[in-house]
């Protein structure tokens, strides 16, 4: 598929042919650092001073480059499609090749960064449990009540690294029911229907 | 094949794989490595530099070092969890392919630290809302806005406990009148008698 670049985007990128190849490479590096860690205005000011151009032009050029890279990585476009999309900008052959190299080198890294962006549901981290027997309580003595107390630790949905905890308590019959339900869920992976679907996903 | 040290279940595949990695170092170094892993399990921390030096002869990469520490941790904690004696552990490990000298060294270290390990595991077992501190104060109320002469003793309790869900310290302040406090004390004494009867 071809990327369709908006007019603003083309205008921002039109700055690139006016500088030499090494500078484009440097901009590429800044763009990738932006993706990883965010940008700082000092970098743009330094570059602008060296090239004697206004700061906004440098900033737009870097941001335009970054947007081009993320859109290409997002859709996983092939080399040919990338070159065709970039042809629209009317750059020289050498510049197109530099942009292509930049894309090929970094697209898997960009995809892994992008995959961390959407927030996910809490996921299982650990389950601690204890088995107790209640022998007496204030209103009634001489009891025998077995209880299973559990603490479920989950990696928090959205926040990375924060563990959320839930305390749960159950009696033996509910526990057996819980175990049989979970085993039925595991067995569902082995049905023919599920196997057919797994075979068709690469 | 069921193994007692795995809780009468099959031995996990990764443990089988890493036992062959363990066989690569000499049995003397293995005993020192066991000592380091046991130190870590007992909460004293592990000295990674020493571990790297011990495994340097066998040219372990960082993945191999982590794997051997992990498999030794698993063997020790799982054997302590299921209260396996060292002869059974020794025969089961030899069945899995660990050479005899290594097994002997491992089981000797296990036997030495067996009760200390179980003690540590007992401490780290799940406990909700551990009581950390109790402080109290007895006040005597002389007078209030409602009644001019009150003349009543009052106890203020401050209980610091670990929150059941949050795990951080939570403080509860309660004030108890003399009668209510007598009831509380009587009930707690009854509970204490029951607990002592179980010891």
């Amino acid at each position: 598929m071809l990327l369709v670049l908006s007019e603003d985007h083309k205008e921002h990128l039109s700055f690139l042919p006016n500088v030499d190849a090494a500078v484009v490479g440097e901009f590429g590096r800044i763009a990738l650092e932006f993706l990883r860690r965010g940008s700082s205005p000092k970098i743009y000011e330094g570059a602008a001073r060296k090239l004697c151009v206004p700061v906004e032009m440098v900033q737009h050029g870097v941001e335009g480059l970054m947007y081009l890279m993320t859109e290409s990585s997002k859709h996983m476009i092939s080399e040919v499609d990338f070159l065709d999309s970039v042809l629209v900008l009317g750059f020289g052959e050498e510049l197109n090749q530099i942009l292509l190299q930049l894309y090929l080198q970094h697209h898997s890294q960009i995809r892994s960064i992008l995959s961390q962006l959407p927030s996910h549901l809490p996921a299982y981290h650990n389950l601690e449990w204890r088995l107790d027997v209640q022998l007496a309580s204030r209103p009634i003595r001489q009891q025998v009540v077995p209880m299973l107390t559990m603490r479920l630790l989950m990696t928090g949905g959205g926040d990375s690294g924060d563990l959320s905890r839930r305390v749960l308590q159950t009696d033996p019959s509910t526990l057996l029911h819980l175990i049989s339900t979970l085993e039925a869920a595991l067995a569902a992976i082995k049905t023919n229907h599920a196997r057919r679907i797994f075979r068709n996903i690469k | 094949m069921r193994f007692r040290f795995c809780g009468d279940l099959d031995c996990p595949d990764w443990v089988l794989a890493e036992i062959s990695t363990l066989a690569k170092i000499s049995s003397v170094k293995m005993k020192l490595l066991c000592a380091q892993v046991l130190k870590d399990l007992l909460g004293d921390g592990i000295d990674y530099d020493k571990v790297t030096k011990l495994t340097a002869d066998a040219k372990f990469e960082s993945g191999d070092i982590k794997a051997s520490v992990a498999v030794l941790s698993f063997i020790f904690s799982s054997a302590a969890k299921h209260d396996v004696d060292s002869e059974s552990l020794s025969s089961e490990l030899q069945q899995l392919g660990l050479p005899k000298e290594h097994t002997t060294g491992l089981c000797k270290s296990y036997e030495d630290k067996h009760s200390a390990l179980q003690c540590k595991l007992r401490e780290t077992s799940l406990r909700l809302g551990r009581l950390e501190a109790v402080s109290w104060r007895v006040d005597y109320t002389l007078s209030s806005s409602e009644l001019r002469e009150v003349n009543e003793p009052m106890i203020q309790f401050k209980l610091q406990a670990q929150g059941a869900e949050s795990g951080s310290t939570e403080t509860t302040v309660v004030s108890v009148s003399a009668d209510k406090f007598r009831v509380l004390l009587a009930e707690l004494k009854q509970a204490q008698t029951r607990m002592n009867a179980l010891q």
Side-chain angles (χ1 to χ4, degrees):
Chain A
M1 61 166 276
L2 285 180
L3 279 181
V4 178
L5 306 171
S6 69
E7 285 310 314
D8 282 341
H9 194 186
K10 288 187 209 162
E11 200 191 302
H12 292 171
L13 287 173
S14 64
F15 167 53
L16 289 178
N18 305 335
V19 298
D20 36 75
V23 182
V24 176
E26 185 62 22
F27 280 0
R29 199 191 53 84
I30 298 176
L32 288 163
E33 271 309 301
F34 185 177
L35 266 182
R36 263 184 236 128
R37 260 172 270 175
S39 71
S40 80
K42 281 191 290 189
I43 303 179
Y44 294 145
E45 280 166 22
R49 238 179 299 126
K50 263 188 269 178
L51 298 166
C52 308
V53 290
V55 183
E56 295 86 48
M57 215 160 197
V58 176
Q59 187 173 0
H60 287 165
V62 173
E63 286 174 1
L65 195 56
M66 186 205 78
Y67 190 65
L68 177 67
M69 290 294 135
T70 45
E71 286 296 301
S72 325
S73 309
K74 191 179 1 171
H75 297 288
M76 266 185 66
I77 60 180
S78 63
E79 289 182 29
V80 177
D81 286 340
F82 183 80
L83 282 174
D84 287 339
S85 318
V86 168
L87 222 56
V88 156
L89 297 163
F91 292 165
E93 186 53 38
E94 198 194 314
L95 191 52
N96 286 352
Q97 282 302 319
I98 295 177
L99 290 174
L100 181 65
Q101 283 312 309
L102 210 57
Y103 170 59
L104 289 174
Q105 269 180 339
H106 294 114
H107 76 105
S108 48
Q109 261 183 38
I110 297 177
R111 277 182 76 80
S112 70
I113 296 176
L114 289 175
S115 73
Q116 288 174 22
L117 282 179
S119 65
H120 31 248
L121 296 168
Y124 170 82
H125 185 251
N126 196 9
L127 180 75
E128 301 166 346
W129 58 267
R130 64 184 288 136
L131 179 63
D132 290 319
V133 174
Q134 182 175 313
L135 296 172
S137 65
R138 184 169 180 252
I140 173 169
R141 311 293 151 89
Q142 310 289 71
Q143 288 174 305
V144 181
V145 183
M147 284 190 302
L148 188 81
T149 313
M150 298 177 275
R151 180 152 65 190
L152 179 63
L153 293 163
M154 298 175 282
T155 56
D159 300 83
S160 59
D162 274 354
L163 291 177
S164 67
R165 303 144 184 255
R166 297 288 254 170
V167 175
L168 303 163
Q169 208 171 45
T170 175
D171 56 283
S173 42
T174 316
L175 178 66
L176 287 172
H177 178 67
L178 188 64
I179 292 175
S180 63
T181 316
L182 290 174
E183 284 184 339
L186 253 184
I189 297 181
K190 302 203 173 88
T191 58
N192 281 329
H193 180 67
R195 283 209 182 114
R196 242 180 279 136
I197 295 182
F198 287 148
R199 252 177 295 182
N200 289 320
I201 303 177
K202 259 179 281 243
Chain B
M1 267 239 59
R2 308 208 160 229
F3 290 95
R4 269 188 62 195
F5 84 97
C6 299
D8 290 332
L9 295 171
D10 292 331
C11 180
D13 291 333
W14 67 272
V15 172
L16 270 171
E18 298 312 326
I19 281 187
S20 51
T21 318
L22 275 181
K24 285 190 213 154
I25 58 177
S26 71
S27 57
V28 174
K29 297 244 165 68
M30 164 86 160
K31 190 132 197 285
L32 293 168
L33 188 60
C34 289
Q36 282 295 319
V37 172
L38 278 168
K39 219 165 63 112
D40 183 41
L41 284 173
L42 289 170
D44 289 329
I46 191 169
D47 189 348
Y48 278 112
D49 293 329
K50 274 207 195 123
V51 171
T52 328
K53 259 185 258 165
L54 286 172
T55 54
D57 286 350
K59 304 214 180 11
F60 274 12
E61 304 172 338
S62 72
D64 292 331
I65 302 179
K66 288 183 206 168
S68 29
V69 171
V71 75
L72 283 174
S73 294
F74 175 80
I75 293 176
F76 283 129
S77 54
S78 193
K81 189 200 289 194
H82 297 108
D83 203 16
V84 180
D85 59 287
S86 65
E87 288 89 39
S88 319
L89 183 63
S90 165
S91 71
E92 286 183 348
L93 286 176
Q94 286 186 48
Q95 275 179 43
L96 289 170
L98 192 62
K100 186 148 192 341
E101 309 81 49
H102 294 70
T103 316
T104 328
L106 199 157
C107 292
K108 181 80 180 30
S109 315
Y110 172 66
E111 213 176 302
D112 291 339
K113 296 285 179 173
H114 173 75
S115 40
L117 252 181
Q118 285 195 327
C119 216
K120 180 78 179 152
L121 290 173
R122 188 170 295 131
E123 274 170 40
T124 46
S125 291
L126 177 65
R127 262 183 66 182
L128 300 171
R130 229 177 258 247
L131 183 64
E132 284 171 7
V134 179
S135 36
W136 57 267
R137 188 178 87 187
V138 176
D139 292 333
Y140 193 75
T141 314
L142 293 170
S143 167
S144 79
S145 57
E146 311 294 309
L147 181 64
R148 195 154 64 114
E149 296 223 3
V150 177
N151 293 338
E152 219 177 52
M154 180 79 87
I155 297 190
Q156 309 257 32
F157 266 117
K158 185 163 86 159
L159 297 163
Q160 277 173 318
Q162 238 184 15
E165 294 221 344
S166 66
S168 57
T169 311
E170 283 174 14
T171 309
T172 321
V173 182
V174 196
S175 65
V176 192
S177 69
D179 290 332
K180 258 293 201 280
F181 180 69
R182 272 183 216 110
V183 174
L184 175 65
L185 189 60
E187 298 288 337
L188 286 177
K189 279 187 176 161
Q190 287 181 15
Q192 188 187 36
T193 325
R194 301 265 340 185
M195 270 177 69
N196 288 337
L198 288 170
Q199 289 281 48

